Amino acid sequence: MKANNHVVIIGGGAAGLSAALFASRAGARVTLLEKNEKFGKKLYITGKGRCNICNACDTETFLRSVQRNPRFLYSALRFLSPDDLQRLMVSLGCPVKVERGSRVFPVSDHASDVSKAFLNALRGQALKLQAEVLEILTGEGRVTGVRVRDALGERMIPCDAAIIATGGKSYPVTGSTGDGYRFARELGHTVTELRPSLVPLITREDWPKRLQGLSLKNVCLTASVHGKIKYCEQGEMLFTHFGVSGPLVLSLSSVLATADWQDVRLTLDMKPGLTAEQLDARVLRDFGENPRKQLQNILPALLPSRMAEIFPALCGVSGEKQPSRITAAERARIVGTLKAIPLTIAGTRPMEEAIVTCGGVSVKEINPATMMSKKVNGLFFAGEVIDVDAFTGGFSLQIAFSTGALAGSSAAQYGTEE
């Protein structure tokens, strides 16, 4: 048996902090490496600075919110479930609260308190170094150390196990520049295609840009690929200077992250609570109550005023027409457009603006029960570097904390084997 085995963790974000805590609790000697001047830097900007730690739901509900490889996460979620994570945060001195959508936040509403809770728990338990990892060293099919560059120059840190917890490629200003993918490839791992997920979309049409800043509530966004509906949800969305964003759009970008956007057709239903027949009756009533008004002056009763201004052009009916001059075919176009405004997507905003990365180290090459590589002994993975991604609402951070905890505990136990 090895005494005082050494686990090196690359990356001081959510996954890395969790891995360090659980590795140290399992008896390992831990070195946590972070190239930023601050540990947990990405945590500071999550949840608009409040840090949506997790989602207070059961495992099956959780897995339905994971878009790629959900079954891979069973063991990690058993090891550290959303309930376990909430109890852990409380035990670390960071009380939590549950808000709309079962989203869990620190009671203080300060993301910094989440990082501080982990860093305080690691005080005296782990060596924290600001260093850039250049290479993971191996010999005879197992990890032997890492080569780093820090204030002391280039050097080698020997270890029994290494955990890659470097994050994805989204938000590179926080240090997520894709280093982990390079390490994985250099050690023989497959990295699936990397695409932005939970990201705003660029429209080919110009009219959304004219509505920049307009937020819509209780609308329905539907996406079809080659005529098959792939997404249909009701909620909120936002028009921007490049196209569309907001919760509905971000979720859609996650569901269709691997799709060819040229094949995607979007429609926006402004009145999802009404059938086409009910909406037609409502339009007829509005026309009957305002016989002398022009269409453009009737529409604000049905739509936000800024959208009412451009709507006649969208449905191909003159905004100056009075109800008595609007034909049945034109009224059908008005109703049909209210129920299905077409949008054409040119693509997504760049990876730098994505909340998470779709793609990563292939789950086929990682043991889900331990998070250890199937190719290199003593090499573990945690967090966004793995090909697993989910919706907003605390799911991605839970994945980071859970896979980090399992990887840390497993790496500590691996290091004690002969």
Side-chain angles (χ1 to χ4, degrees), residues 35-56:
K35 66 181 181 181
N36 283 315
E37 75 288 348
K38 184 186 291 184
F39 286 78
K41 192 169 182 179
K42 195 170 183 180
L43 279 171
Y44 283 77
I45 62 172
T46 61
K48 296 180 180 177
R50 297 173 60 218
C51 192
N52 184 186
I53 300 166
C54 64
N55 194 283

Side-chain angles (χ1 to χ4, degrees), residues 42-344:
K42 195 170 183 180
L43 279 171
Y44 283 77
I45 62 172
T46 61
K48 296 180 180 177
R50 297 173 60 218
C51 192
N52 184 186
I53 300 166
C54 64
N55 194 283
C57 62
D58 58 51
T59 299
E60 292 307 316
T61 302
F62 187 100
L63 293 175
R64 283 197 294 273
S65 293
V66 179
Q67 294 307 295
R68 252 68 57 182
N69 304 308
R71 294 176 62 187
F72 174 80
L73 294 171
Y74 271 112
S75 294
L77 290 172
R78 274 202 303 269
F79 189 83
L80 185 73
S81 69
D83 284 345
D84 295 333
L85 179 55
Q86 291 174 72
R87 285 191 289 269
L88 173 66
M89 295 311 304
V90 173
S91 74
L92 297 181
C94 181
V96 299
K97 59 183 177 180
V98 182
E99 296 188 0
R100 182 172 59 90
S102 299
R103 297 173 185 229
V104 178
F105 294 88
V107 167
S108 67
D109 283 332
H110 292 146
S112 58
D113 287 350
V114 178
S115 297
K116 288 174 185 174
F118 278 93
L119 292 170
N120 288 338
L122 289 171
R123 190 171 292 138
Q125 304 299 312
L127 177 62
K128 298 184 289 292
L129 296 176
Q130 183 183 353
E132 179 187 5
V133 176
L134 304 174
E135 182 184 11
I136 298 174
L137 305 171
T138 60
E140 298 181 355
R142 63 188 298 154
V143 169
T144 58
V146 296
R147 188 164 62 87
V148 304
R149 182 192 293 125
D150 60 9
L152 301 176
E154 284 191 23
R155 60 196 176 98
M156 195 272 272
I157 301 175
C159 63
D160 300 298
I163 301 174
I164 297 177
T166 50
K169 288 197 75 173
S170 57
Y171 288 120
V173 293
T174 65
S176 299
T177 53
D179 294 344
Y181 304 126
R182 175 173 62 83
F183 300 146
R185 288 191 186 101
E186 288 173 350
L187 295 172
H189 278 273
T190 302
V191 176
T192 62
E193 183 180 359
L194 305 176
R195 297 193 182 198
S197 181
L198 299 179
V199 65
L201 300 177
I202 302 167
T203 59
R204 293 195 186 280
E205 295 86 356
D206 284 332
W207 64 263
K209 302 165 192 176
R210 293 166 56 192
L211 300 178
Q212 178 182 349
L214 175 63
S215 179
L216 302 178
K217 294 184 178 181
N218 298 318
V219 295
C220 183
L221 193 62
T222 300
S224 60
V225 179
H226 299 307
K228 292 185 178 180
I229 293 177
K230 299 293 185 180
Y231 178 87
C232 184
E233 294 292 337
Q234 189 170 330
E236 300 178 20
M237 65 175 282
L238 172 72
F239 292 109
T240 70
H241 66 284
F242 51 77
V244 289
S245 187
L248 281 178
V249 173
L250 296 182
S251 294
L252 165 64
S253 77
S254 176
V255 171
L256 296 182
T258 60
D260 185 338
W261 289 104
Q262 292 185 102
D263 300 329
V264 179
R265 296 291 176 268
L266 293 190
T267 56
L268 173 61
D269 184 349
M270 296 298 297
K271 298 293 177 183
L274 299 176
T275 64
E277 292 76 15
Q278 290 170 330
L279 183 56
D280 186 48
R282 162 75 189 273
V283 169
L284 268 175
R285 188 184 73 218
D286 286 355
F287 283 2
E289 292 174 353
N290 303 280
R292 297 187 179 183
K293 278 190 176 182
Q294 294 179 333
L295 175 63
Q296 60 198 9
N297 296 322
I298 297 173
L299 286 172
L302 290 164
L303 295 166
S305 58
R306 288 175 62 195
M307 198 161 187
E309 291 176 12
I310 68 166
F311 188 80
L314 294 182
C315 61
V317 179
S318 171
E320 296 179 353
K321 274 195 169 186
Q322 292 178 324
S324 60
R325 295 175 52 225
I326 293 175
T327 67
E330 287 176 326
R331 193 179 79 245
R333 286 211 302 276
I334 293 169
V335 172
T337 305
L338 284 168
K339 292 295 291 179
I341 300 174
L343 282 166
T344 313

Side-chain angles (χ1 to χ4, degrees), residues 389-403:
D389 63 286
F391 288 150
T392 57
F395 302 103
S396 294
L397 271 185
Q398 176 75 54
I399 291 170
F401 286 126
S402 292
T403 56

